[in-house]
Amino acid sequence: MTQQRFNMDWMLKDLASSVPQTRHVIVLSSDGLRMAQHGTDTDAADRLAAACAGLQSLSTAIAAEFPDGDGQMRLVVIEVDGGFFYLMAAGAGAYLAVLADDDVDAGLIGQRMRDLVARIGEHLTSPPRVSGPVA
């Protein structure tokens, strides 16, 4: 089965070019499938998407420990030697991930990611994959 996919490459490129020191931008489904990418090759984007699936699952488990919360992960930020990783919920079953150098403007990248999700969140939703007729 082939599904038509909204082409968001130019929006990912816009995010990357509007924040200096941004390396890679990808959109992925909650089960770790790459939906779109900018600034990286397909193999690296696929590896990152798979890693993000585990991270978002872990984050959701941690979010469930907050009794007054809704149990949903909104944003994960990881700082490593050489840069930052951002993972943001971007629609039902979809996530926006960014890798950036260590001198990136953290506030600006967060704002641009939120703006992108708000603008096109419905297009960042990962529809269920089905192989037959839907009942």
Side-chain angles (χ1 to χ4, degrees):
M1 179 181 138
T2 303
Q3 294 179 346
Q4 287 282 30
R5 175 75 54 207
F6 177 72
N7 184 336
M8 61 190 101
D9 293 349
W10 67 273
M11 287 179 266
L12 301 183
K13 182 179 180 182
D14 183 53
L15 171 73
S17 64
S18 69
V19 182
Q21 309 315 100
T22 299
R23 288 178 166 241
H24 310 302
V25 182
I26 68 167
V27 175
L28 62 132
S29 65
S30 60
D31 56 355
L33 297 177
R34 173 187 41 83
M35 298 166 61
Q37 72 190 59
H38 175 75
T40 187
D41 63 72
T42 300
D43 288 340
D46 285 342
R47 285 191 309 274
L48 186 56
C52 288
L55 184 57
Q56 68 83 20
S57 179
L58 176 64
S59 301
T60 299
I62 291 169
E65 296 301 317
F66 289 88
D68 296 330
D70 62 5
Q72 300 298 309
M73 181 279 283
R74 291 186 198 3
L75 175 67
V76 173
V77 179
I78 298 175
E79 181 179 6
V80 298
D81 189 24
F84 291 91
F85 167 77
Y86 301 87
L87 180 64
M88 180 178 284
Y95 295 87
L96 176 63
V98 174
L99 284 175
D101 293 335
D102 58 1
D103 53 349
V104 70
D105 182 332
L108 182 59
I109 193 71
Q111 177 186 1
R112 293 291 197 262
M113 289 176 72
R114 283 188 303 273
D115 291 348
L116 178 60
V117 167
R119 276 192 348 234
I120 61 166
E122 66 200 43
H123 300 293
L124 294 179
T125 300
S126 176
R129 286 179 285 284
V130 295
S131 58
V134 177

